[in-house]
Amino acid sequence: MLPRFRRGAFALFALTFFVTMLLGDRSSVAGWFTLQPDELLAGRHWWTPATALFHYPEGLGLLGLVWTLTIQWVMGSRLEGFWGTTRYLVMVLVAGVVGYAGAVALAAVMPATAALDYAGPGPIDTACAVAFAWVFARERMRVGSAEISPLLIAGIAAPLSVTFAPLVALAAGTPIAQTWPAAVPGLLAAAVATLFVQPWRKRENSGKVGRTKPRGQTHLRVVRTPEDMLN
């Protein structure tokens, strides 16, 4: 049985689908959704660390959309149900923007990477998978007739989300010197998700009633006499 596809996770996928499939093939528009560190460092296209999250570059479109659909449906919807729509969207979007901002910072200290292009919701998907692992680590998920650990699912999904773009670029013959920086946004997004999750992790004593009387505090007990009971 498939989980419910919640509105926040669905909106992330739908926006990515719309931008990638309907706008991505227009070169004049695609540049507005692609992060180019040299342009941003020159004071142009300052919005691209955010818009790049919703545009798969050419060659990754259909395969990437299927991957994002799976991540957001299976993991994102579960997290959104646990946290609420607003908190979930804040987490993945902040993690994604920080991830791509890290690519710009890398270009500032390593000018050789400034001319590279960055695009795709990889940082969002990575943050989702990492947060999913933290929050539901002690639970079990039913897949068909089997029960598996969410850690196993996230342990596969998170590394694939980080390395998805570099691996495709390597398969296309791109030198490794131009592909490894594409993993930086995902790694930073994973770190942001880890920091964000901590206050809302499920704790072992969740649902248990804790001590209500401070240590060392005396407790008065009223004892009734037989005369009081008769009255």
Side-chain angles (χ1 to χ4, degrees):
M1 179 178 178
L2 292 174
R4 173 186 172 188
F5 205 163
R6 296 185 178 270
R7 59 182 181 179
F10 176 77
L12 291 174
F13 166 73
L15 183 57
T16 304
F17 178 87
F18 175 79
V19 173
T20 300
M21 300 301 291
L22 301 183
L23 299 178
D25 58 347
R26 303 179 182 180
S27 58
S28 60
V29 177
W32 289 68
F33 291 91
T34 301
L35 171 62
Q36 299 172 315
D38 52 354
E39 290 287 323
L40 196 146
L41 291 173
R44 299 184 293 269
H45 297 179
W46 53 267
W47 57 85
T48 50
T51 58
L53 295 170
F54 305 105
H55 171 234
Y56 270 112
E58 185 177 357
L60 295 181
L62 184 58
L63 181 61
L65 287 172
V66 171
W67 179 252
T68 296
L69 172 65
T70 304
I71 293 290
Q72 293 304 321
W73 196 346
V74 175
M75 301 185 190
S77 293
R78 184 78 182 277
L79 277 171
E80 185 178 346
F82 177 68
W83 279 336
T85 301
T86 300
R87 185 171 292 169
Y88 172 68
L89 290 179
V90 167
M91 188 276 290
V92 294
L93 291 176
V94 168
V97 171
V98 170
Y100 278 139
V104 178
L106 177 67
V109 297
M110 296 183 64
T113 66
L116 301 179
D117 293 345
Y118 298 84
I124 285 181
D125 294 339
T126 302
C128 176
V130 170
F132 181 84
W134 280 113
V135 173
F136 301 110
R138 298 183 181 275
E139 297 188 5
R140 308 290 292 181
M141 291 184 64
R142 181 172 293 278
V143 179
S145 60
E147 288 188 350
I148 60 177
S149 170
L151 283 175
L152 177 61
I153 298 176
I156 297 173
L160 283 177
S161 296
V162 171
T163 59
F164 185 74
L167 288 176
V168 172
L170 282 174
T174 305
I176 191 172
Q178 299 178 15
T179 58
W180 71 262
V184 171
L187 294 174
L188 290 176
V192 172
T194 299
L195 294 175
F196 187 94
V197 162
Q198 300 311 308
W200 294 287
R201 287 179 62 189
K202 289 187 174 181
R203 293 172 172 81
E204 294 181 2
N205 62 348
S206 177
K208 297 181 180 180
V209 178
R211 181 184 298 272
T212 58
K213 182 170 69 68
R215 294 180 181 273
Q217 178 177 331
T218 59
H219 182 76
L220 299 178
R221 181 183 178 188
V222 178
V223 179
R224 296 191 175 206
T225 63
E227 290 79 5
D228 293 333
M229 298 297 291
L230 290 174
N231 292 333

